[in-house]
Amino acid sequence: MKDGEGIVSDNLSKLEALLTELPSALENQSLGEELARTVQALQTAEQQVLRIAALLSIVELLDYDSDVQTEYVEDVQDEARKVGMMLEQAEAAEDLKLASSRYKNELSSAISNLDRDLRQHWKNFVLQEFRPLIDVGEMLRNLGGQDDLATELTNCGRTANEFQPGSDTTIFLEKVSSLVAKRDQLQHRRKAAFGEGEVASFINALAENRATLDMVSDEVRSWLEEKGSLNRLRVTI
């Protein structure tokens, strides 16, 4: 959400302030039983705000920015804004009932849709960004002299591949954040470990999932055959 991150964050901050303060503010109004029901419904507001914040943080970490994905984020943003406006402008019991219903239904549904799609996106992200680390780590181990880096690359790729997000969005965020930070650190070390040359360039491209057949020169092919890695590579034609 490159262009919309600021807008989403601003709306989230406003929603957080509104939903966490609204129950006590509404207590000063006299809207009867519907007021009590609305306050009861909003008791989950703080948890929902934390969930939204975690999901948006994951969005930023996972390059979640296709057109369809943008719609999921915008749906959460729009529903949050609508609920906030309805609660702020409520003047009668029916207004509170409609706002409470939207909070429990449309907003909750939008959040769940984003959550569900992010978990599917994580699987694709792992295939794109972490699985290549396993092959690169194994190749480096065969190359010799980079055993520690090879082991860490392989372990990072396997840990990401094995991670299955549970229902706790905060834990999902913590694990994704940790794995992405570790990947970035290892990629930096890998680049620094190799100098110039066709083999080094190919290894770097392979680890970043941008290797193509054009990069498999005679020198690279000979090296791959020597290491027994030629048939296991993922390259793009």
Side-chain angles (χ1 to χ4, degrees), residues 43-211:
Q43 286 184 347
T44 61
E46 185 174 358
Q47 289 82 358
Q48 286 287 55
V49 167
L50 291 175
R51 187 182 180 192
I52 293 172
L55 291 173
L56 292 181
S57 294
I58 296 170
V59 163
E60 295 182 19
L61 287 168
L62 300 187
D63 301 328
Y64 185 84
D65 57 6
S66 72
D67 290 343
V68 173
Q69 292 163 347
T70 298
E71 288 184 10
Y72 282 121
V73 175
E74 290 178 346
D75 283 346
V76 172
Q77 176 189 349
D78 291 343
E79 288 303 326
R81 183 173 59 251
K82 289 175 182 177
V83 169
M85 290 178 60
M86 292 173 73
L87 289 169
E88 284 183 319
Q89 297 171 6
E91 295 180 351
E94 183 63 23
D95 297 333
L96 286 177
K97 185 176 181 179
L98 291 173
S100 177
S101 176
R102 192 163 202 110
Y103 170 78
K104 291 185 295 184
N105 296 305
E106 282 85 350
L107 177 57
S108 293
S109 178
I111 295 172
S112 295
N113 289 339
L114 174 60
D115 190 322
R116 182 173 56 253
D117 198 64
L118 264 177
R119 291 166 193 273
Q120 179 59 48
H121 181 69
W122 166 248
K123 296 178 183 179
N124 298 330
F125 190 81
V126 168
L127 290 175
Q128 186 80 10
E129 299 292 331
F130 285 95
R131 286 291 296 275
L133 301 185
I134 300 174
D135 288 340
V136 172
E138 291 175 352
M139 281 200 304
L140 293 185
R141 187 176 292 106
N142 290 333
L143 181 62
Q146 299 289 340
D147 289 350
D148 289 345
L149 177 58
T151 298
E152 290 189 59
L153 283 166
T154 301
N155 288 344
C156 182
R158 287 176 176 168
T159 299
N161 192 50
E162 293 168 0
F163 173 59
Q164 300 292 331
S167 59
D168 192 318
T169 308
T170 300
I171 293 177
F172 183 18
L173 170 60
E174 290 174 351
K175 190 66 173 180
V176 169
S177 180
S178 174
L179 285 167
V180 170
K182 184 64 174 179
R183 177 207 62 179
D184 292 345
Q185 176 198 35
L186 291 174
Q187 295 287 46
H188 178 75
R189 285 174 55 191
R190 174 187 50 74
K191 290 178 181 179
F194 292 90
E196 303 296 328
E198 294 179 356
V199 172
S201 296
F202 181 76
I203 291 174
N204 289 337
L206 183 67
E208 295 165 8
N209 203 36
R210 56 180 178 81

Side-chain angles (χ1 to χ4, degrees), residues 127-128 132 135 202 205-217 221 224 230 232-237:
L127 290 175
Q128 186 80 10
D135 288 340
F202 181 76
L206 183 67
E208 295 165 8
N209 203 36
R210 56 180 178 81
T212 66
L213 288 177
D214 290 341
M215 295 179 180
V216 185
S217 64
R221 180 178 292 275
L224 291 172
L230 185 61
R232 297 190 297 105
L233 297 180
R234 298 181 179 86
V235 296
T236 302
I237 297 177

